[in-house]
Amino acid sequence: MYGTMKVAIGGPLKVAFRPWVEGMENIPAEGPAILASNHLSFSDSFFLPAVLDRKVTFIAKAEYFTTPGVKGRLTAAFFKGVGQLPVDRSGSRGAGEAAIRSGIEVLERGELFGIYPEGTRSPDGRLYRGKPGGLARVALATGAPVIPVAMIDTEKIQPPGKVVPKLMRPGIRIGKPMNFSRYQGMEHDRFVLRALTDEVMYEIMKLSGQEYVDMYATAAKRQIAEAAKAAKAAREKAEKTETAERAERAERAETAEK
């Protein structure tokens, strides 16, 4: 199914958007490897596999695979066809443990595993701090090389709220494989997990040219949502105040006329 979907989706994507690629020689012809990428758009998981000859597997939330009805079955078939693996977010440690297990299984089959160390899409196009659990633990558990990847301008193709995508050329820069064998056997050391993740994020930053923000993207999204909520409340308060003042002026004018 993956091959069929790659032709059906990847072919038209390459023709319509003509993505440019640098560093394709850094993708091994065979054997396991982790593709660690920045995350600007929902389309990242489609553009990267579209330009690669080898299958790359990303993870997706389980809800995409369990929604009932015809639409749900079509959605599940689509995500399975493009190489997405369902991650059950239930349980004490949620998606993190499920993602780690899925990644290890993919790599043990000698395949490519794609992961977004930021954990979620960037809310503003900047590069955020990588989460140390998934990427580092999968890399140390399998010994697979980590290949940093930078998606360029994918967020401009279909910004949030836009239904029709903009036809423009996104870019993909693929860095040299990173070997972390020096950390082997230290997968339970949180300082090692942090150091490994930061090394990879630094390489992604160099490839992408993004401004780096030393905080998690999830925290940034909360701040943005809270700021938007506060701004909305301030506007509503100002509108109520203005309405009350207009009513008061009108009442005074009416009293003066009498």
Side-chain angles (χ1 to χ4, degrees):
M1 182 183 287
Y2 182 86
T4 301
M5 294 297 285
K6 181 176 175 65
V7 172
I9 298 173
L13 274 180
K14 288 195 289 185
V15 171
F17 294 95
R18 298 181 298 117
W20 54 266
V21 185
E22 295 177 359
M24 187 68 81
E25 68 277 6
N26 293 320
I27 301 293
E30 59 182 21
I34 301 169
L35 305 184
S37 173
N38 60 340
H39 198 12
L40 296 172
S41 168
F42 175 77
S43 63
D44 294 337
S45 298
F46 302 107
F47 278 113
L48 182 56
V51 302
L52 299 180
D53 293 331
R54 295 183 61 188
K55 177 182 178 180
V56 55
T57 300
F58 285 88
I59 55 175
K61 59 184 180 181
E63 287 87 338
Y64 286 144
F65 299 82
T66 58
T67 304
V70 175
K71 183 178 180 181
R73 288 195 295 272
L74 290 173
T75 300
F78 171 78
F79 277 97
K80 289 178 182 176
V82 296
Q84 304 282 305
L85 284 177
V87 172
D88 184 359
R89 297 185 296 179
S90 63
S92 59
R93 303 188 71 175
E97 290 299 323
I100 290 167
R101 290 194 301 271
S102 297
I104 291 173
E105 291 172 2
V106 170
L107 293 165
E108 286 179 342
R109 295 197 299 267
E111 300 176 1
L112 300 178
F113 177 63
I115 188 169
Y116 300 113
E118 292 168 280
T120 186
R121 280 175 278 175
S122 170
D124 54 15
R126 296 185 294 176
L127 184 68
Y128 285 83
R129 196 180 195 202
K131 293 189 173 183
L135 167 64
R137 287 180 60 191
V138 171
L140 294 179
T142 61
V146 178
I147 301 174
V149 177
M151 306 301 294
I152 312 292
D153 291 336
T154 53
E155 82 282 10
K156 298 176 183 177
I157 291 175
Q158 193 171 13
K162 297 292 184 180
V163 177
V164 180
K166 179 181 179 181
L167 287 177
M168 60 176 292
R169 295 189 72 187
I172 302 172
R173 288 197 182 100
I174 303 170
K176 295 184 181 299
M178 303 175 71
N179 185 309
F180 293 104
S181 58
R182 65 188 184 279
Y183 292 139
Q184 211 64 43
M186 304 172 70
E187 58 268 19
H188 299 297
D189 187 323
R190 62 188 181 92
F191 296 106
V192 167
L193 299 181
R194 179 77 267 162
L196 187 157
T197 305
D198 287 345
E199 283 186 51
V200 175
M201 297 309 295
Y202 180 70
E203 292 301 317
I204 293 174
M205 181 187 70
K206 290 197 297 183
L207 290 168
S208 69
Q210 291 170 278
E211 176 186 349
Y212 180 76
V213 183
D214 193 20
M215 68 182 297
Y216 293 123
T218 48
K221 286 184 174 182
R222 284 196 299 270
Q223 289 184 1
I224 291 171
E226 289 169 0
K229 184 177 180 180
K232 181 181 179 181
R235 287 195 303 270
E236 291 175 347
K237 182 178 180 180
E239 289 171 359
K240 287 181 180 179
T241 300
E242 185 179 353
T243 299
E245 289 176 349
R246 283 202 302 267
E248 185 179 349
R249 288 196 297 270
E251 185 178 349
R252 286 202 300 268
E254 184 178 350
T255 301
E257 289 177 0
K258 293 179 179 179

